[in-house]
Amino acid sequence: MKSKITLKDIARELEVSISTVSKALKNSEEISRDTKEKVQAFARLYNYKPNNIAISLKNKRTKNIGVVIPDIVHHFFTTVIRGIEKYANAKGYNVIVCLSEESFDKEVINMEMLANGSIDGFIMSLSSETQAKKDFNHLKEVMEQGIPVVLFDRITNEIDCDKVIIDDKLGGYLATKKLIEQGKRKIALITTDDYLSVSKARGQGHRKALIDSGLEVDESRILKLPTMEMDEERIRSFFDSIEFDAVLCVNEIFAVFSMRVALEKGLKIPDDVAVIGFTNGLLSKYANPSLTVVAQHGEKMGEISAQMLIDKVESEKEEETFQTKILEPTLVVRDSTIN
Amino acid sequence: MKSKITLKDIARELEVSISTVSKALKNSEEISRDTKEKVQAFARLYNYKPNNIAISLKNKRTKNIGVVIPDIVHHFFTTVIRGIEKYANAKGYNVIVCLSEESFDKEVINMEMLANGSIDGFIMSLSSETQAKKDFNHLKEVMEQGIPVVLFDRITNEIDCDKVIIDDKLGGYLATKKLIEQGKRKIALITTDDYLSVSKARGQGHRKALIDSGLEVDESRILKLPTMEMDEERIRSFFDSIEFDAVLCVNEIFAVFSMRVALEKGLKIPDDVAVIGFTNGLLSKYANPSLTVVAQHGEKMGEISAQMLIDKVESEKEEETFQTKILEPTLVVRDSTIN
């Protein structure tokens, strides 16, 4: 049995991009006659079948959905997967998960691998490196090949596709308002650098709530870590450097650790320090005191993403329209804030 | 292009279970002659091929590893994935993850999908339903097709393949001994039914430690839940029904919840009640008090699994030898036991 030749193989052999091969096989006017002839001759020689992708989508579906996410350490992504599985399984689809581990290269490699006939479409949340680089060619490429993509949570405006996000700005606003209402005035924010779309939006909501309440934004009370990864030392020394009576964190791990530091300092929660995190996960629920959080409704987000993707996969329409669904975050009030 | 027929398709068409189709195709004596003939005729008619991987493996490797695990809610499995990714990526392999969600059918469907040319080998931990059913035909099938399999954590003795486990009996023993040394005599155990191999072994270690210390095994202090899934109500009423001065749990979620129930009862941890769980995850680390655990070394387990699998994939040897690697659990002592 002769192994199947792929777009990627042709691209490598002829030293052109996958995108060029794809366009040449479609007889695109963007590609020179010379290149088109070369690509088409090569494809014929090796019996290339425009395989599993554009054409096969019409003839035969794999009934598999590819999910590419940054990590599974954060509970949020595991709940999104649960939602995707739930909807997809009910519709007879299997789910394949690949992790980018916040790496641009891994994201590209995973997508190329899955786009090679294994899946009908992608559901993905961008790696932090992709958001920092702003290079989305790998997304454009699969979409050009007729593979639909749904982005959730960490999205980009530079790609036209279906998107599902939570109103992160509102989440940051609601949480900060809650703390202000409880009489807190020295509210610390532990977040990441702004290139991460969700952190940026949450920070904006936080600022807006402060300003709306006539409070000043004290930059020294904002800690921006390079990624969502835990850095105990930096968080500890941040708390040593400021006065604070409340903490808002962009994930639940930062928040639960902030509670620990506060308790170690002999502070009472929520009386001396109130704490709110993002993500309604197991950590928040079983922390002691239990943690008030901005629920991101990950399972719902997963279900909607799967629904949007499967609708596109099964749609017979030629023309494409895209929509962005915005879910509303809700505050789940527990013992780390005053009830 | 004719679409390929799968086990799932045959099962659906003939209205039998996937397990029945799989056994019928193997001519199993468990299946009636009538059903076997029906299934085999159907498979012939639609040109069912158990997969093309055996041949293609010789010609071309995919450089992908398929990982099939029960869930990603428990931190243990996420750490194993991290270990697999680490080793596999360094060797130039991608990792594809599929979740069985503790379902036999999903495990079979996922394996069949991946075995269809997408991966070079499997790393897997059995679903609870598979362990309960003791049906391992889907494993036998892929192995007969030349696809190597490495089982980790939840394994079976009925399949000859490479395996990586932790000495769970020793883990249960060490934890229980620790509690006894601290003067605890009424040690509760929260586990699952014995069909789950890891729970069974942990329970055996627990018993051995009690007996070695001249203590009696009081069955009323053992709660066996049907699965690893959280059941707050049953755990609460279990604690209402017994006297206890220590708790050992087979996962960290049960353990952290047990601490909460103890605290609600006004008991002091660790003085009135000491608690130990399995899995050294985020929950244990950030719980308050922090939780003493039996570390299962998931990342190490993942690395070793990946190494064993890749060695098999890249081996030129014809004859097969299998080994089982047993890792030693270690006790990570924190504030939920006396230091």
Side-chain angles (χ1 to χ4, degrees), chain B residues 31-98:
Chain B
I31 308 297
S32 73
R33 209 179 120 183
D34 206 46
T35 303
K36 277 195 281 200
E37 281 178 0
K38 197 168 63 176
V39 170
Q40 290 170 1
F42 192 90
R44 258 195 313 277
L45 182 64
Y46 286 93
N47 196 26
Y48 171 75
K49 290 216 183 69
N51 290 318
N52 36 25
I53 199 81
I55 307 160
S56 79
L57 257 184
K58 312 254 170 206
N59 300 335
K60 182 195 165 204
R61 294 204 186 106
T62 64
K63 285 269 190 176
N64 300 327
I65 290 175
V67 177
V68 183
I69 52 172
D71 73 66
I72 47 175
V73 171
H74 289 97
H75 193 261
F76 169 68
F77 288 115
T78 69
T79 58
V80 175
I81 291 176
R82 195 184 310 145
I84 294 171
E85 291 265 7
K86 197 167 149 188
Y87 188 89
N89 291 169
K91 290 277 177 181
Y93 284 74
N94 298 311
V95 177
I96 295 177
V97 179
C98 287

Side-chain angles (χ1 to χ4, degrees), chain A residues 65-85:
Chain A
I65 290 174
V67 178
V68 182
I69 52 171
D71 73 65
I72 48 175
V73 170
H74 288 96
H75 194 261
F76 169 68
F77 289 116
T78 68
T79 58
V80 175
I81 291 176
R82 195 184 310 145
I84 294 171
E85 291 266 6

Side-chain angles (χ1 to χ4, degrees), chain A residues 77-144:
Chain A
F77 289 116
T78 68
T79 58
V80 175
I81 291 176
R82 195 184 310 145
I84 294 171
E85 291 266 6
K86 198 166 149 189
Y87 188 89
N89 292 169
K91 289 279 177 178
Y93 285 74
N94 299 310
V95 177
I96 295 176
V97 180
C98 287
L99 305 179
S100 66
E101 300 190 273
E102 306 287 15
S103 143
F104 172 81
D105 279 0
K106 275 206 72 181
E107 190 173 287
V108 173
I109 289 169
N110 282 327
M111 284 190 78
E112 263 182 353
M113 162 183 78
L114 292 178
N116 188 22
S118 301
I119 50 111
D120 295 340
F122 284 103
I123 296 176
M124 53 188 300
S125 192
L126 299 170
S127 80
S128 55
E129 213 187 344
T130 307
Q131 288 205 317
K133 262 175 125 78
K134 294 182 202 255
D135 180 347
F136 308 107
N137 279 306
H138 51 307
L139 294 172
K140 286 179 195 150
E141 239 155 55
V142 297
M143 289 179 68
E144 275 168 19

Side-chain angles (χ1 to χ4, degrees), chain B residues 202-220:
Chain B
R202 290 167 196 175
Q204 287 169 341
H206 170 73
R207 272 164 203 275
K208 187 169 178 339
L210 290 174
I211 292 161
D212 283 3
S213 306
L215 297 173
E216 95 186 281
V217 179
D218 180 347
E219 300 294 338
S220 75

Side-chain angles (χ1 to χ4, degrees), chain A residues 1-4 6 9 52 56 59-60 64 72-73 75 77-78 81-82 85 89 92-99 101 106 109-110 113-114 116 118 230 232 253 256-257 260 263 282-290, chain B residues 1-4 8 52 55-56 59-60 63-64 72-73 75 77-78 81-82 85-86 89 94-99 101 106 109-110 113-114 116 118 230 232 253 256-257 260 263 282-290:
Chain A
M1 186 180 142
K2 206 159 151 186
S3 71
K4 197 172 62 185
T6 65
D9 297 330
N52 322 303
S56 80
N59 301 334
K60 182 206 159 199
N64 300 327
I72 48 175
V73 170
H75 194 261
F77 289 116
T78 68
I81 291 176
R82 195 184 310 145
E85 291 266 6
N89 292 169
Y93 285 74
N94 299 310
V95 177
I96 295 176
V97 180
C98 287
L99 305 179
E101 300 190 273
K106 275 206 72 181
I109 289 169
N110 282 327
M113 162 183 78
L114 292 178
N116 188 22
S118 301
M230 190 58 186
E232 297 194 3
I253 303 179
V256 172
F257 182 68
R260 153 149 320 166
L263 291 169
L282 292 171
L283 268 176
S284 314
K285 195 171 170 192
Y286 295 116
N288 178 35
S290 58
Chain B
M1 183 174 152
K2 205 156 147 189
S3 73
K4 193 174 158 288
K8 194 179 161 189
N52 36 25
I55 307 160
S56 79
N59 300 335
K60 182 195 165 204
K63 285 269 190 176
N64 300 327
I72 47 175
V73 171
H75 193 261
F77 288 115
T78 69
I81 291 176
R82 195 184 310 145
E85 291 265 7
K86 197 167 149 188
N89 291 169
N94 298 311
V95 177
I96 295 177
V97 179
C98 287
L99 306 178
E101 300 189 275
K106 276 207 70 178
I109 289 168
N110 282 327
M113 164 184 75
L114 292 178
N116 189 21
S118 302
M230 189 60 187
E232 298 194 1
I253 303 179
V256 171
F257 183 68
R260 153 147 325 165
L263 292 170
L282 292 171
L283 268 175
S284 315
K285 195 171 171 194
Y286 295 116
N288 178 33
S290 58

Side-chain angles (χ1 to χ4, degrees), chain A residues 31-237:
Chain A
I31 309 296
S32 73
R33 210 180 121 181
D34 207 46
T35 304
K36 276 194 281 198
E37 279 178 3
K38 196 168 64 176
V39 170
Q40 290 171 3
F42 191 91
R44 261 195 312 277
L45 183 65
Y46 286 93
N47 195 26
Y48 170 74
K49 296 221 181 67
N51 69 29
N52 322 303
I53 307 155
I55 291 172
S56 80
L57 265 182
K58 313 252 171 205
N59 301 334
K60 182 206 159 199
R61 298 201 182 107
T62 64
K63 286 269 188 178
N64 300 327
I65 290 174
V67 178
V68 182
I69 52 171
D71 73 65
I72 48 175
V73 170
H74 288 96
H75 194 261
F76 169 68
F77 289 116
T78 68
T79 58
V80 175
I81 291 176
R82 195 184 310 145
I84 294 171
E85 291 266 6
K86 198 166 149 189
Y87 188 89
N89 292 169
K91 289 279 177 178
Y93 285 74
N94 299 310
V95 177
I96 295 176
V97 180
C98 287
L99 305 179
S100 66
E101 300 190 273
E102 306 287 15
S103 143
F104 172 81
D105 279 0
K106 275 206 72 181
E107 190 173 287
V108 173
I109 289 169
N110 282 327
M111 284 190 78
E112 263 182 353
M113 162 183 78
L114 292 178
N116 188 22
S118 301
I119 50 111
D120 295 340
F122 284 103
I123 296 176
M124 53 188 300
S125 192
L126 299 170
S127 80
S128 55
E129 213 187 344
T130 307
Q131 288 205 317
K133 262 175 125 78
K134 294 182 202 255
D135 180 347
F136 308 107
N137 279 306
H138 51 307
L139 294 172
K140 286 179 195 150
E141 239 155 55
V142 297
M143 289 179 68
E144 275 168 19
Q145 289 158 27
I147 306 178
V149 173
V150 174
L151 284 177
F152 74 89
D153 196 50
R154 297 203 204 152
I155 64 168
T156 172
N157 292 326
E158 292 184 37
I159 295 287
D160 272 334
C161 67
D162 287 327
K163 293 165 195 169
V164 192
I165 50 172
I166 191 124
D167 187 339
D168 280 295
K169 188 173 170 184
L170 179 62
Y173 187 87
L174 290 174
T176 305
K177 267 284 184 192
K178 174 86 185 167
L179 295 168
I180 295 169
E181 278 162 23
Q182 305 201 332
K184 305 298 184 185
R185 292 295 175 267
K186 298 171 193 161
I187 304 172
L189 172 66
I190 301 182
T191 181
T192 73
D193 288 327
D194 274 352
Y195 70 87
L196 216 58
S197 55
V198 294
S199 298
K200 187 176 173 186
R202 289 167 197 175
Q204 287 169 339
H206 170 71
R207 273 163 202 275
K208 187 170 179 337
L210 291 174
I211 292 163
D212 283 4
S213 306
L215 297 172
E216 93 183 287
V217 179
D218 181 347
E219 299 295 338
S220 76
R221 284 209 192 93
I222 300 176
L223 173 63
K224 290 187 179 184
L225 295 171
T227 67
M228 286 284 182
E229 208 155 304
M230 190 58 186
D231 186 339
E232 297 194 3
E233 219 160 305
R234 284 198 61 188
I235 293 178
R236 265 185 211 286
S237 64

